[in-house]
Amino acid sequence: MTSTSPSSTHSDPSANSFQVDLRGLVDLLSHHLYSSPRVYVRELLQNAVDAVTARQALDPEAEVRIRLSASAGRVTIEDSGIGLTAAEAHSLLATIGRSSKRGGDHGLETTRREFLGQFGIGLLACFVVARQIRVITRSARDPQAAPVEWLATDDGSYTVRELPDEARREPGTTVILQARPGAEEWTVPAKVEQLARDYGSLLPYDITFTEGDGQGDEGGEGGEPRGITDRPAVWDRPFPTPAARRVALAGHCAQLFGFTPLDSIDLDLPVAGVRGVAYVLPEPTSPAHRAGHRVHLKGMLLTDHADNLLPDWAFFVRAVIDTDTLRPTASRENLYDDETLSAVREALGVRVRAWLAELAASEPERLAAFLSVHHLGVKSLARHDAELLGLMLPWLPFETSEGSMSLQEFTAAHSEIHFTRTVEEFRQIAPIAAAHGLGVINAGYTYDADLLALLPTVRPDLKVAELDAGAVTERLDPVPTSAELALAPFLSTARTRLEAQGCDVVLRAFQPVSVPALYLDDRQARQERDRTAALDSADSLWSGILGALRGSAPRARLVLNHNNPLIRRISALPDEALTGTAVESLYGQALLMSQRPLRPADSTLLNRAFLGLLEWATHSTDSPEGQK
């Protein structure tokens, strides 16, 4: 579509106006700018609200009226707004991207911040569902101007003509959309009403919806009007008691998001022009999940999937807000991530953190209920906030060698804390640690290792260290010297058989008796094992370098339980070869119990020990003549 008059000037006769391909523009809007054709209802509402806002600035006593109606294949919206003259109607599509409500057009510079959108581009957006758009309008700024009809079709053509006075006697605008083939579903009355409520429930003016035509100038008859707006927002309404307010907010959350919240958090930032509420999810969610928040801009729904409104750590809430300061993207379907949004996001995070602090100080039962579901979120926040870590310390749950308990409860019994970095390592050592008074925390879960590393900054009296094989071995009961000397040949055989695995063998007495052997290693032992493996496969140059890096790090340990009857029977075997096979079997079983990845050498050993035991078992059942 081309503009109706060229923009050439006398000083530059080569200058020409831009041409607009309406079909190409509609394709751009529907397939690339807007996520769904549903936005056409928002554009109709925005234009009507902006027109009324402009009229109110011109004449505060003027009537406010916005009526939406729909019938099969047709949608109509009528407002008592500022209206347009014929010249302004001509300029609608010739000024795409420049709002027709700006001060230069209507002399309303002081009210520009009150407008929602841009009339030209907004009206064009309706072509995503319409084959024809008819606008009947009369200007409130020029009482002598005749009513005007602007009629456009999706082939890129439009006409503008003046109408007789009786076509529209009062200032305002009526927009009538005729659905294009394939888009009729978007003009079904129930769909239009639902979209209008979704987008416009918080708009500042009363809006009604009528099923049917509802426009006298077209001779149609409408049904009973129904209100679309629902003001004030539930978080701004007065309630007789705090409990009544919580109930109302819970009902709002259930209607909006489909769940009953654990609690609600007021998000009130008057300086930033933000009001709303955050609802705490009743079920745990992944910290990697970015929740979609619902954002209204000056009462109009902007998006219900704003994932950049709150800090990433606040993944345990879903928020709904209304703002007049945050900037929308070009499609007006999300928030533009600029410095203003960054400041608002930080301020909203402070509100969520203050809510947690308030619960910790005055409502421990509600806090405990929250932490039972969302302790991961609090731990994530506490990693970056030592003050909050100190505040939440009595409540943060951890898995320990004495069961699940808060960090405060655990540190009351242990001034020296050991932790494992993997869940598997913890599960192997926990029963033995508990039996021997060794305090161990499972730091294999998300954030726990980071929090334990920060713990001494909050509690300087505590010592925190990663669990190592030496610390565990020292806590286990030593075997009497005489007993260990008597078993020296057995221990020598065991150490020789496991030398190739980089594993030492020690004898201790520990509980529970049912555990015959315990495999222990730590980070240093694993690093030394990896260095040795690299040394074996390296060329001469790298062998020299890696050999020079050999340290004195302790090796992994197989701790044999002298209290276990099986260990005593194995240590008394007269056959050295059978003793070695049994030791390899104990090593393999302990390694499997630790759930560590098996190296090729470990797999070979397990296979050899299994076959060796099978061969011994089958030979032991033979007759004396068949035994070797």
Side-chain angles (χ1 to χ4, degrees):
M1 187 187 98
T2 63
S3 61
T4 56
S5 60
S7 61
S8 359
T9 64
H10 294 294
S11 60
D12 186 3
S14 64
N16 294 286
S17 62
F18 286 103
Q19 293 186 333
V20 179
D21 179 357
L22 186 55
R23 289 185 182 275
L25 181 60
V26 169
D27 179 74
L28 176 66
L29 293 174
S30 60
H31 293 99
H32 302 284
L33 185 62
Y34 296 129
S35 62
S36 166
R38 71 197 302 266
V39 298
Y40 88 93
V41 174
R42 182 194 66 192
E43 301 299 338
L44 289 176
L45 292 175
Q46 281 191 175
N47 289 335
V49 169
D50 287 341
V52 169
T53 301
R55 177 77 180 277
Q56 290 293 296
L58 182 69
D59 179 11
E61 301 301 321
E63 177 191 11
V64 174
R65 183 180 70 256
I66 301 176
R67 298 171 179 168
L68 179 66
S69 62
S71 58
R74 175 184 172 121
V75 176
T76 303
I77 189 166
E78 186 244 344
D79 67 68
S80 59
I82 193 71
L84 299 169
T85 63
E88 290 164 351
H90 267 294
S91 70
L92 281 179
L93 299 184
T95 58
I96 293 172
R98 179 169 62 87
S99 174
S100 64
K101 286 88 60 176
R102 293 186 180 274
D105 294 325
H106 290 292
L108 302 175
E109 188 68 27
T110 58
T111 63
R112 284 175 57 183
R113 291 181 69 252
E114 302 302 320
F115 295 121
L116 296 170
Q118 297 175 322
F119 193 87
I121 194 71
L123 193 59
L124 278 179
C126 294
F127 276 115
V128 298
V129 300
R131 63 175 177 82
Q132 182 189 84
I133 301 175
R134 183 186 182 201
V135 179
I136 303 171
T137 183
R138 186 162 195 163
S139 175
R141 291 184 300 106
D142 185 359
Q144 304 304 317
V148 175
E149 178 194 69
W150 180 89
L151 184 66
T153 60
D154 60 359
D155 64 0
S157 64
Y158 76 90
T159 61
V160 176
R161 66 187 179 100
E162 292 188 349
L163 301 174
D165 283 350
E166 55 269 18
R168 186 177 184 99
R169 296 188 180 277
E170 299 296 327
T173 301
T174 300
V175 179
I176 305 167
L177 307 183
Q178 296 289 346
R180 59 181 173 80
E184 293 87 356
E185 63 175 299
W186 296 103
T187 63
V188 172
K191 170 72 79 173
V192 175
E193 182 178 10
Q194 181 263 321
L195 291 175
R197 291 183 187 279
D198 201 33
Y199 280 116
S201 62
L202 299 184
L203 287 173
Y205 308 117
D206 290 338
I207 300 172
T208 61
F209 175 81
T210 304
E211 185 171 343
D213 195 327
Q215 297 300 321
D217 62 302
E218 292 297 317
E221 294 183 0
E224 188 69 22
R226 296 186 289 270
I228 292 298
T229 48
D230 185 22
R231 303 185 316 275
V234 63
W235 53 84
D236 284 330
R237 296 174 190 171
F239 293 96
T241 64
R245 186 173 189 270
R246 279 199 295 268
V247 170
L249 288 173
H252 176 253
C253 177
Q255 181 181 14
L256 202 62
F257 294 125
F259 64 85
T260 300
L262 282 178
D263 208 344
S264 57
I265 308 168
D266 282 318
L267 303 178
D268 185 8
L269 304 175
V271 175
V274 172
R275 285 281 294 153
V277 63
Y279 294 116
V280 181
L281 294 167
E283 298 178 352
T285 184
S286 168
H289 175 68
R290 294 173 66 92
H293 306 294
R294 190 175 177 92
V295 177
H296 296 258
L297 180 62
K298 301 182 181 74
M300 180 70 75
L301 176 66
L302 185 71
T303 179
D304 56 7
H305 53 267
D307 59 3
N308 55 357
L309 179 65
L310 291 177
D312 289 343
W313 55 258
F315 55 83
F316 50 85
V317 298
R318 292 283 300 277
V320 52
I321 67 163
D322 188 22
T323 176
D324 58 11
T325 59
L326 298 180
R327 180 180 167 195
T329 58
S331 65
R332 299 199 292 282
E333 292 188 287
N334 213 332
L335 293 172
Y336 189 79
D337 213 333
D338 56 10
E339 292 181 357
T340 301
L341 177 58
S342 179
V344 167
R345 181 165 52 237
E346 182 177 351
L348 292 177
V350 170
R351 295 308 303 267
V352 176
R353 184 174 58 185
W355 169 79
L356 286 171
E358 181 181 347
L359 289 187
S362 60
E363 300 187 71
E365 291 183 359
R366 289 174 62 195
L367 178 63
F370 165 75
L371 286 178
S372 67
V373 178
H374 293 297
H375 57 274
L376 278 181
V378 178
K379 288 181 177 181
S380 173
L381 174 58
R383 291 180 307 153
H384 308 290
D385 192 327
E387 180 181 354
L388 186 65
L389 176 62
L391 179 68
M392 302 300 293
L393 191 63
W395 309 101
L396 291 177
F398 287 84
E399 185 179 5
T400 78
S401 53
E402 297 177 8
S404 180
M405 61 178 60
S406 70
L407 203 56
Q408 180 72 9
E409 292 173 324
F410 188 74
T411 56
H414 301 279
S415 60
E416 185 175 358
I417 298 175
H418 299 274
F419 66 90
T420 64
R421 290 190 176 273
T422 66
V423 175
E424 293 77 14
E425 185 178 8
F426 172 80
R427 289 176 179 170
Q428 183 198 22
I429 197 65
I432 298 167
H436 292 270
L438 183 65
V440 181
I441 290 180
N442 181 4
Y445 296 117
T446 306
Y447 308 134
D448 284 4
D450 293 339
L451 287 175
L452 291 174
L454 292 171
L455 185 56
T457 65
V458 180
R459 292 278 304 275
D461 57 309
L462 296 177
K463 181 181 178 181
V464 180
E466 183 175 356
L467 183 71
D468 61 60
V472 177
T473 306
E474 289 172 5
R475 286 299 185 103
L476 304 181
D477 296 333
V479 176
T481 304
S482 57
E484 189 161 4
L485 287 175
L487 296 177
F490 163 69
L491 293 175
S492 176
T493 299
R495 289 168 181 148
T496 300
R497 293 298 288 262
L498 297 183
E499 176 66 29
Q501 311 305 124
C503 182
D504 197 6
V505 178
V506 296
L507 186 66
R508 291 291 186 272
F510 57 86
Q511 300 295 326
V513 175
S514 59
V515 178
L518 178 66
Y519 179 82
L520 297 174
D521 71 348
D522 50 35
R523 182 183 297 179
Q524 289 181 319
R526 289 189 288 270
Q527 289 175 344
E528 179 65 17
R529 209 161 48 236
D530 292 341
R531 187 202 61 79
T532 302
L535 178 63
D536 293 340
S537 60
D539 57 26
S540 57
L541 173 61
W542 282 108
S543 294
I545 296 174
L546 292 172
L549 295 177
R550 179 185 297 273
S552 58
R555 300 195 302 171
R557 298 181 184 185
L558 181 68
V559 183
L560 302 178
N561 188 359
H562 189 251
N563 290 338
N564 182 270
L566 177 62
I567 295 297
R568 295 194 178 193
R569 288 197 295 270
I570 292 175
S571 64
L573 289 173
D575 188 335
E576 183 176 335
L578 180 58
T579 299
T581 299
V583 168
E584 288 182 341
S585 299
L586 289 170
Y587 170 84
Q589 187 265 351
L591 195 63
L592 291 174
M593 290 297 293
S594 70
Q595 299 187 36
R596 289 176 174 81
L598 296 180
R599 299 169 296 166
D602 294 329
S603 299
T604 300
L605 177 143
L606 282 170
N607 186 58
R608 181 175 66 242
F610 177 71
L611 294 177
L613 289 177
L614 280 180
E615 183 177 0
W616 176 83
T618 54
H619 282 184
S620 67
T621 60
D622 290 342
S623 63
E625 292 78 8
Q627 294 180 3
K628 304 296 182 187

